[in-house]
Structure formats: C-alpha cells, structure tokens
Amino acid sequence: LLPKTDEDSVAGTYKHDLNDKVGMTLSGSLEDSSSFSYQGRADDIISTAGYRVGPGEIEECLLSHPAVAMAAAVGVPDELRGEAIHAFVVLNTGYRQDDRLAADLQQHVKSRLAFYQYPRTVSFLDELPLTTTGKIVRRELRDSLVRAGGAAS
C-alpha cells in the first residue's frame, strides 16, 4: 500500500482503493514522520456514548421477542451520545404497533444486553428494505431518518 521511496524522495501521499473488493478506501498522509492517518470503510457500527455497538446483537435480541418478525438497528445522530440506537421492527401477525409495545421491546433488550445497547426509539414498518440476497439495507433506513429530521418513534 505504501509508495516505494529511496533516499532522494520526499514524503508524499497515497491512496489505495479497495472498494471493488471490500468496500474500503484507505488513504493517508506521509508528509512528516510524526503523523499517519487513514480513513476506513463506512460500516454499520454504532458509536453511542463512547461504546461501539454492532447492530447484529441488538437485532438478535429483538428477534427473540414473540412480537418481532424482522428487526434492524441503526445509529442516528444524537447530541448527547454521538449516535443513538434506533430500531426498526416488522411485527408478527396478531400484534399491534403502539407505544406500549415499543416500550416493551426496549425493556426486552435492556434486560438482556448492556445498558447502552437498548434502542432509544423504535419504528414499526410493514417490511424492511432488503438486498436481492436478503440482507437488510441499513443505509436506506438511516437515510430515511435523516431525511425525516431525526429519530422517529
């Protein structure tokens, strides 16, 4: 990844694009020997109140609730925490979406995972956006919240 240098060369910059392979762009600066920086790939990790949280564990916990057919968790901008966890839920037949069920889902996660992993807000959807291979497209969910001006409940 680093440029080859010899005694006569000066420090420079580099960029290596791995987007086709793993969705990652590494870039950095070698302008002085005291600093080096890189930019990694954008992923679904949620950084909330100083904790790094993967959405999978939250989604698995939500799926263990009898009302939940499908679930997705994303981070949304939050002044206090950096990001807050927002859950999107598709309900099983026979369950009705309301504030009481949203609170029950929050408590369900709070009682099973770390205190910082429970979703601060819950939205109910008829379906989640999926790729052709069935993976949740969290980017679309996150973008819909940003367009709406924040976390919906």
Side-chain angles (χ1 to χ4, degrees), residues 52-150:
R52 291 173 47 85
V53 178
E57 192 173 6
I58 299 163
E59 293 163 358
E60 286 289 325
C61 187
L62 286 166
L63 287 168
S64 71
H65 191 283
V68 179
M70 293 181 74
V74 300
V76 294
D78 182 88
E79 285 186 30
L80 179 63
R81 295 172 192 85
E83 284 185 302
I85 298 170
H86 186 102
F88 291 90
V89 173
V90 176
L91 296 176
N92 280 316
T93 305
Y95 290 90
R96 202 181 83 222
Q97 62 186 39
D98 57 25
D99 291 341
R100 186 172 171 194
L101 180 56
D104 186 44
L105 293 173
Q106 289 172 314
Q107 185 58 41
H108 180 79
V109 175
K110 197 185 284 189
S111 68
R112 287 163 177 77
L113 299 179
F115 69 93
Y116 55 85
Q117 290 180 295
Y118 86 93
R120 302 291 173 162
T121 51
V122 177
S123 292
F124 297 100
L125 300 175
D126 293 331
E127 61 185 13
L128 296 176
L130 302 175
T131 65
T132 55
T133 58
K135 293 182 182 179
I136 298 168
V137 185
R138 291 184 189 90
R139 180 186 69 254
E140 285 186 23
L141 296 170
R142 204 173 17 254
D143 291 349
S144 72
L145 288 174
V146 171
R147 281 191 306 273

